[in-house]
Amino acid sequence: FLWLAAVAGAGFLADVVASDTLDIETGFSIAIGTAMTSLAAVLWFQRKTAPQLVGVFAGIAFLIAGISDVLGGDDPFGILLWIVGVVALISTRLDLISPERTAYSLSSTAVLVGAQWAAFEFFSDTQGWGLALGLASALALQGVSVAWLSLVLLAFGSAGVLLFLPQIVDEYFGEAIGGTTALLVSGVALLAVALVAVRLRDRVSG
């Protein structure tokens, strides 16, 4: 954890240099992300534990925020974070990133948060597209959890379905069928998701 604190300190120092010394306003998070990611990556290669990996992902998040700022605000942040999450998931499966549970947790979080951000920022005029991306991602996490025998992916996939499914029901059917009926439909759908999650858990554990 001291190494993780060192990564945070590097980010703070980069922030001071970028914003106060160099007076950078647009994309100053790139400096923060670069400093944090570089140091965290070096520490992770020395000792591949959860705190070091958290530092790497935190640095990448700042780096993406800076790139998004340069590209025109916060809009691209969600889709870029989603892409990073997908790449990290595949890399973890290929044993390029460890420890596995932490890597799967951070990658899944990036995928789901990225899709949620995209639904309300990047695709501001077509929010349903971003919500569909989130639901598809959550279902994909549930699916691969069986093939990869990962309860972590199953947990995040199920949580993602619980997050996106009610939003989709409200977005597409809320006005047509009314708020009460939409709530009932969401409840039934979530119950079905819970039952499926239990079945998948048994298959993963077995």
Side-chain angles (χ1 to χ4, degrees):
F1 287 97
L2 291 178
W3 285 7
L4 183 59
V7 171
F12 176 76
L13 179 60
D15 179 29
V16 172
V17 173
S19 10
D20 295 341
T21 305
L22 301 179
D23 198 23
I24 299 175
E25 295 183 358
T26 302
F28 69 92
S29 294
I30 292 178
I32 300 175
T34 300
M36 292 180 65
T37 305
S38 300
L39 178 58
V42 170
L43 296 177
W44 177 76
F45 276 111
Q46 294 296 320
R47 187 179 182 186
K48 296 181 180 181
T49 59
Q52 278 67 261
L53 190 58
V54 170
V56 172
F57 272 77
I60 292 175
F62 275 102
L63 192 57
I64 293 174
I67 294 173
S68 301
D69 192 21
V70 172
L71 292 177
D74 295 332
D75 290 352
F77 178 82
I79 197 65
L80 290 176
L81 185 62
W82 182 87
I83 292 172
V84 167
V86 172
V87 172
L89 276 173
I90 296 173
S91 299
T92 303
R93 177 59 180 172
L94 296 175
D95 294 327
L96 299 177
I97 303 177
S98 60
E100 183 181 275
R101 288 187 178 182
T102 303
Y104 278 151
S105 298
L106 294 172
S107 302
S108 300
T109 300
V111 167
L112 298 177
V113 172
Q116 182 67 66
W117 191 292
F120 292 99
E121 293 292 337
F122 187 54
F123 302 105
S124 57
D125 296 328
T126 54
Q127 295 180 0
W129 197 97
L131 294 176
L133 175 65
L135 181 59
S137 300
L139 292 174
L141 287 175
Q142 284 188 321
V144 299
S145 70
V146 178
W148 296 356
L149 301 178
S150 173
L151 289 173
V152 173
L153 292 180
L154 176 60
F156 276 94
S158 301
V161 175
L162 295 177
L163 171 65
F164 289 103
L165 187 57
Q167 295 183 73
I168 291 176
V169 171
D170 181 66
E171 177 74 17
Y172 286 104
F173 306 107
E175 295 183 1
I177 63 179
T180 303
T181 307
L183 184 61
L184 177 61
V185 172
S186 296
V188 173
L190 294 178
L191 178 60
V193 170
L195 294 175
V196 171
V198 171
R199 294 291 299 275
L200 290 177
R201 183 193 62 187
D202 293 339
R203 293 181 63 180
V204 172
S205 301

